[in-house]
Amino acid sequence: MVKGNVVLGVTASIAIYKSLEVLSRLKKRGFNVRFALTEEAKRLISPVVFKALTNNEVYDDVMEELDLGDTNITHVSFANWADVFAIVPATANIISKVACGIADDPVSLVALATEAKKVIAPAMNSQMYLNPIIQDHLNKLKSLGWLVVEPEEGDLACNTKGIGHIASENHIADAIESCMYPDLLKGKNVVVTAGPTSESIDPVRYLTNRSSGKMGFALAKMARYMGADVTLITGKVCLDTPFGVNRIDVESTNDMLTALKKEIEKKDDLIVIMAAAIADFRPEKMESKKIKKEGNGKFTVNFVENPDVTVEIGRFAKSLGKKLRLVGFAAETHDLLENAKKKIEKKGLEFIVANDVKRDDIGFGSDFNEVIIIHRDGRMERIERSEKLKIAYEILRRLN
Ligand code: CTP
């Protein structure tokens, strides 16, 4: 299924290779891509490469009109075709041109003509990036609705380190994908918990829950796509932080509780989505030295119950007079609906998302899920098996 049309404008930075990495991410996510190249970009990578990898015409010469099957001239045709227009990488030169309305190459021509959502990923030397002229131009683009994917600190082509290294291909692809979703959560503060919490037994061993964190990360990513201010509090997982999401790493259940309380203290109005697989028990005592085998074939650890984090933060918010909307997950192996319904009441949830963790085609570790949303009034809505990002959208649009 094609998600949308993206025109990638490419300019002549050493980070030009990134445009091809972003293309690869966009293709995997179902986007159709066309390239527009400046003269100088063409000298770094041949247009043949961009054409072969997209199966689409490349706009690389302002004096030559492409036959695109419509009556428009090329830059207008590209401009109208795009759902999103993104400049990757963006040199200081193109930033300044676009901010001033100069249109004298394929990239700046499409930039000026298009009414599509716009994204720009700068890449340049630190002094150039921090130059007030470039910062002014970027601020102007932001004020005009451009989404700027800020560069990172890193190795620069001039053999120095500093700010100016182009953002990661995943972040740029996230920024582009985010343009396809409505701003339903604009102005809202969303905290998502994800992954497993883990409880140390000794310095080398710990007890944890089965969770890849993928559902929670998809929720954080989508909440940001939908315009929310997002904090992701996560246990140990091997996942990249989504673009624009503030990430806090924690280990134990009590660490997660502490991190959540801090977020509640900071904001007056918060939506908290508890997608984390929280360890219900912790060893009574964490040994400071590695426990040695006793040689009797047995190993015994006493466990105590951890707090119910959702119940605790509900109480905490109430004691501070803060508004808190809570959404829970119910991971069940049996009596799915009955167990999930009990949890809504006990934990003070607005609704609960129930999934059957026995199935191996969804849930743990999978990119897919199938869930039932159960509301306080007993209403139930089944979301058929789909990608976790789509499930996340379905959950979040119920919170606008
Ligand atoms: N949860 C929590 N604190 C805990 C355990 C779970 O806040 N100590 C949250 C989870 O993040 C989830 C919801 O409560 O959103 C339900 O979690 P689940 O593991 O299904 O249920 P439990 O409350 O642990 O109950 P049980 O183990 O008896 O099913």
Side-chain angles (χ1 to χ4, degrees), residues 193 253 274-280 306-311 327-332 343 346-347 352:
T193 67
T253 296
M274 295 293 297
I278 293 180
D280 284 321
N306 267 330
D308 186 308
V309 175
T310 313
V311 171
V327 173
F329 271 72
E332 304 289 350
K343 287 176 189 173
K346 182 181 162 207
K347 295 172 191 265
I352 197 160

Side-chain angles (χ1 to χ4, degrees), residues 101-312:
I102 297 169
D104 64 353
D105 65 71
V107 177
S108 55
L109 271 163
V110 180
L112 197 62
T114 192
E115 289 180 343
K117 300 258 178 80
K118 298 176 197 71
V119 175
I120 191 160
M124 70 200 76
N125 157 277
S126 309
Q127 285 110 292
M128 290 169 78
Y129 178 68
L130 295 173
N131 188 309
I133 300 172
I134 296 302
Q135 288 301 314
D136 270 2
H137 286 156
L138 283 171
N139 286 335
K140 181 167 178 193
L141 292 179
K142 281 184 201 163
S143 73
L144 294 171
W146 286 68
L147 184 50
V148 179
V149 192
E150 304 286 353
E152 299 166 356
E153 295 268 343
D155 293 326
L156 302 172
C158 47
N159 284 333
T160 54
K161 276 185 194 297
I163 184 98
H165 184 93
I166 192 164
S168 76
E169 52 275 24
N170 284 331
H171 279 187
I172 298 170
D174 283 358
I176 291 170
E177 192 172 21
S178 75
C179 295
M180 302 304 294
Y181 291 90
D183 267 358
L184 293 178
L185 300 179
K186 201 170 174 63
K188 294 202 164 34
N189 298 307
V190 174
V191 174
V192 179
T193 67
T197 58
S198 51
E199 303 292 346
S200 295
I201 296 170
D202 68 17
V204 295
R205 302 179 180 96
Y206 61 86
L207 172 89
T208 192
N209 277 356
R210 211 190 268 270
S211 166
S212 65
K214 284 183 177 174
M215 191 65 237
F217 273 61
L219 279 158
K221 179 187 261 196
M222 183 52 72
R224 165 70 203 205
Y225 282 5
M226 293 166 77
D229 183 350
V230 186
T231 298
L232 173 64
I233 302 176
T234 180
K236 288 189 182 95
V237 292
C238 297
L239 297 170
D240 285 339
T241 312
F243 166 67
V245 166
N246 170 35
R247 171 173 175 166
I248 300 169
D249 288 281
V250 295
E251 283 196 9
S252 70
T253 296
N254 273 315
D255 292 345
M256 187 166 270
L257 177 57
T258 306
L260 276 161
K261 283 183 172 172
K262 277 193 194 147
E263 291 307 307
I264 292 168
E265 275 169 349
K266 278 194 249 165
K267 309 267 164 58
D268 287 335
D269 202 335
L270 211 57
I271 297 173
V272 175
I273 305 179
M274 295 293 297
I278 293 180
D280 284 321
F281 312 100
R282 67 177 184 277
E284 198 164 29
K285 184 164 173 263
M286 142 72 169
E287 298 295 337
S288 56
K289 291 189 184 142
K290 184 181 172 192
I291 302 168
K292 291 289 176 191
K293 289 189 278 295
E294 287 185 0
N296 60 4
K298 282 195 218 157
F299 176 56
T300 308
V301 183
N302 286 327
F303 286 99
V304 293
E305 249 184 54
N306 267 330
D308 186 308
V309 175
T310 313
V311 171
E312 287 297 320

